[in-house]
Amino acid sequence: DAGVTQSPTHLIKTRGQQVTLRCSPKSGHDTVSWYQQALGQGPQFIFQYYEEEERQRGNFPDRFSGHQFPNYSSELNVNALLLGDSALYLCASSLPGGGETQYFGPGTRLLVL
Amino acid sequence: AQSVTQLGSHVSVSEGALVLLRCNYSSSVPPYLFWYVQYPNQGLQLLLKYTSAATLVKGINGFEAEFKKSETSFHLTKPSAHMSDAAEYFCAVRGGGSEKLVFGKGMKLTVNP
């Protein structure tokens, strides 16, 4: 059973550019959440998608946007990259519900120069 | 709003010694609580979760945690540390109809031979 997969694994961009990160959820999961983990910090919630709609959003600017496809895979887009966007971006999949476990992928490490 | 406090950032134990990682939470509603482990350059792996079924929760790799409502705590323990336990550990809370996990800052565990 394939777990959560993310691509690419690493990415280097320059300030002002745009980036798209991709996530495929664990088989049977229909909910995808995205988190940003800065160096030395715990992950911070960006947003969650369910039934192709953004269900909840964390405290991130509009430069961060996302999409969920009918097959439940998801994309995270970041526009006008800033140096501070350098981080590990984690995708997690789950079934809907507060007690459900979120299963994390290996992450995409983004470096903005 | 939910929050989690993990005091300190680093703990060091000898192989075979007790592991105790502290987590205190704040939540206005009954919470769901989670412990995740992150090995270097990897995503997060669930160790265990509390969803109100039992206050003492057993997880993988010999870890367990006890939910104490009176102390708003969910400390992680393992009777005997192994070298392979060296990693970063994150406590997280979710609840009140919110879909997001709120993480602590993490605790890096070093195991000395």
Side-chain angles (χ1 to χ4, degrees):
Chain A
D1 175 28
V4 179
T5 60
Q6 292 186 243
S7 63
T9 55
H10 294 81
L11 207 50
I12 300 175
K13 293 285 187 180
T14 56
R15 279 179 298 174
Q17 285 189 312
Q18 178 264 344
V19 68
T20 297
L21 311 182
R22 295 176 177 82
C23 171
S24 291
K26 187 176 167 65
S27 178
H29 287 182
D30 56 7
T31 302
V32 173
S33 304
W34 286 92
Y35 292 81
Q36 180 195 66
Q37 186 179 17
L39 202 59
Q41 300 294 320
Q44 300 257 329
F45 177 78
I46 303 174
F47 42 54
Q48 184 182 82
Y49 278 84
Y50 172 67
E51 292 188 341
E52 301 181 51
E53 292 197 357
E54 184 182 290
R55 183 155 68 169
Q56 187 174 0
R57 188 180 184 91
N59 190 25
F60 279 79
D62 291 346
R63 297 186 298 109
F64 289 76
S65 63
H67 188 76
Q68 186 178 35
F69 299 93
N71 67 353
Y72 308 126
S73 67
S74 177
E75 287 182 350
L76 164 66
N77 300 292
V78 186
N79 294 323
L81 284 167
L82 303 174
L83 295 180
D85 295 332
S86 295
L88 180 67
Y89 288 85
L90 295 164
C91 169
S93 76
S94 62
L95 296 171
E100 294 296 333
T101 299
Q102 292 188 10
Y103 292 86
F104 284 80
T108 293
R109 188 163 295 282
L110 172 65
L111 177 61
V112 183
L113 301 176
Chain B
Q2 289 83 34
S3 67
V4 161
T5 300
Q6 293 182 254
L7 288 177
S9 60
H10 194 187
V11 63
S12 183
V13 301
S14 298
E15 192 173 19
L18 171 71
V19 175
L20 170 60
L21 303 180
R22 299 179 185 274
C23 173
N24 289 89
Y25 70 90
S26 173
S27 178
S28 57
V29 296
Y32 297 112
L33 293 160
F34 305 80
W35 275 99
Y36 283 87
V37 61
Q38 186 175 36
Y39 297 99
N41 300 315
Q42 293 188 26
L44 301 173
Q45 180 183 5
L46 180 73
L47 280 176
L48 49 81
K49 67 177 181 181
Y50 167 77
T51 58
S52 77
T55 56
L56 182 62
V57 182
K58 294 189 183 299
I60 63 170
N61 302 338
F63 284 94
E64 64 180 36
E66 186 172 8
F67 173 72
K68 292 187 176 181
K69 184 178 178 180
S70 61
E71 299 177 7
T72 61
S73 69
F74 190 57
H75 301 332
L76 181 71
T77 60
K78 181 174 180 177
S80 177
H82 191 272
M83 297 294 289
S84 60
D85 295 327
E88 190 148 21
Y89 293 79
F90 293 93
C91 182
V93 64
R94 184 180 183 187
S98 173
E99 297 296 331
K100 68 179 182 181
L101 285 170
V102 177
F103 285 87
K105 291 187 175 182
M107 182 70 72
K108 184 175 181 180
L109 174 66
T110 299
V111 182
N112 302 307

